[in-house]
């Protein structure tokens, strides 16, 4: 396997791996201090949502196979995000390339009274540059201080992104589900699939840190 194990310096690409069975999973980060936001590569910049960014969001999410087409992605964004303009302006974050084009995104959302990290993606041509880590931390830092955990829903298809979340203090949740994640927590089934994906030392660490 070519999976990196140095969680501080390396980043794996985030493109859905639909060659393995899909099982939904839940991760949680306790309200401990966040790492500082890392420096971006020269010429790249961070910014928050602006009207019309749903086009860029749809392009990025479709590029990593989260949606079958940009039209479906825009429809989802319009239904789920646009009604909450207050949150959208503060919590939907982008990394922009030197030409100003958004190429990575993450959203620090709130649903059902809980904090939920949503839709973390980097366009494939811009991966392995630390952009995903930067945009996730930028989004997490946008939450006002509060003794609340942050939840995220993920899946076996995102086994690459799970390593990023692990490096930022998120842990897989063993039992129970969470309303904000929208899907069941299939920990046992998911871990059996991930056992064959990760090197033994990586799988063992994730299992040992699970809550």
């Amino acid at each position: 396997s070519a999976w990196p194990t140095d969680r501080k310096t390396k980043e794996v690409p985030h493109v859905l791996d639909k060659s393995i069975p899909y099982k939904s999973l839940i991760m949680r980060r306790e309200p401990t201090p966040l790492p500082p936001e890392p420096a971006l590569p020269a010429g790249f910049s961070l910014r928050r949502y602006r009207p019309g960014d749903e086009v860029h969001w749809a392009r990025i999410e479709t590029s990593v196979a989260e949606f079958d087409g940009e039209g479906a992605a825009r429809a989802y964004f319009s239904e789920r995000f646009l009604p909450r303009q207050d949150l959208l302006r503060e919590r939907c974050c982008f990394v922009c390339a030197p030409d100003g084009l958004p190429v990575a995104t993450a959203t620090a959302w709130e649903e059902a009274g809980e904090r939920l990290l949503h839709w973390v993606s980097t366009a494939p041509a811009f991966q392995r540059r630390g952009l995903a880590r930067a945009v996730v931390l930028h989004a997490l830092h946008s939450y006002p201080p509060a003794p609340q955990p942050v939840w995220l829903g993920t899946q076996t298809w995102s086994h690459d992104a799970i390593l990023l979340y692990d490096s930022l203090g998120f842990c897989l949740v063993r039992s129970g589900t969470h309303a904000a994640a929208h899907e069941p927590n299939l920990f046992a089934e998911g871990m059996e699939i991930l056992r064959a994906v990760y090197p033994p030392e990586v799988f063992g660490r994730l299992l040992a840190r699970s809550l």
Side-chain angles (χ1 to χ4, degrees):
S1 170
W3 286 88
T5 57
D6 183 345
R7 298 188 297 157
K8 295 182 179 179
T9 61
K10 297 183 180 180
E11 180 177 324
V12 291
H14 177 199
V15 178
L16 295 183
D17 179 6
K18 297 185 178 182
S19 69
I20 61 175
Y22 177 97
K23 298 294 180 182
S24 52
L25 297 163
I26 294 174
M27 301 185 77
R28 186 175 82 222
R29 188 186 192 281
E30 299 304 318
T32 55
L34 287 163
E37 295 186 41
L40 288 167
F44 287 79
S45 60
L46 284 157
R47 69 168 175 81
R48 307 287 172 85
Y49 171 84
R50 299 172 185 170
D53 277 341
E54 53 267 31
V55 173
H56 299 301
W57 186 91
R59 172 180 45 79
I60 295 167
E61 297 297 344
T62 303
S63 75
V64 296
E66 288 282 8
F67 293 90
D68 291 333
E70 293 185 27
R74 288 195 299 272
Y76 178 95
F77 192 97
S78 295
E79 178 184 351
R80 298 298 299 275
F81 287 163
L82 284 182
R84 295 296 307 275
Q85 288 288 321
D86 56 332
L87 285 182
L88 195 54
R89 289 190 299 269
E90 294 297 322
R91 307 288 180 75
C92 183
C93 304
F94 295 93
V95 174
C96 297
D99 63 0
L101 183 71
V103 295
T105 185
T107 301
W109 208 240
E110 293 185 29
E111 292 183 22
E114 301 282 3
R115 296 181 168 189
L116 177 65
L117 183 67
H118 253 322
W119 300 102
V120 178
S121 296
T122 303
F126 293 89
Q127 293 178 4
R128 294 186 178 275
R129 305 188 195 188
L131 304 187
R133 184 180 186 87
V135 76
V136 166
L137 280 170
H138 190 62
L140 292 175
H141 276 282
S142 76
Y143 282 124
Q148 281 184 271
V150 179
W151 300 80
L152 65 84
T154 187
Q155 60 276 325
T156 49
W157 286 357
S158 291
H159 50 74
D160 46 13
I162 288 172
L163 297 186
L164 171 63
Y165 304 141
D166 171 66
S167 77
L168 295 174
F170 285 88
C171 300
L172 289 160
V173 176
R174 285 177 171 265
S175 62
T177 187
H178 192 264
H182 303 298
E183 292 192 64
N185 182 25
L186 303 178
F187 177 83
E189 297 96 324
M191 292 304 279
E192 281 305 305
I193 294 164
L194 294 177
R195 185 189 298 274
V197 173
Y198 296 130
E201 66 276 13
V202 174
F203 179 84
R205 186 185 70 238
L206 291 172
L207 186 62
R209 295 191 66 242
S210 61
L211 302 172

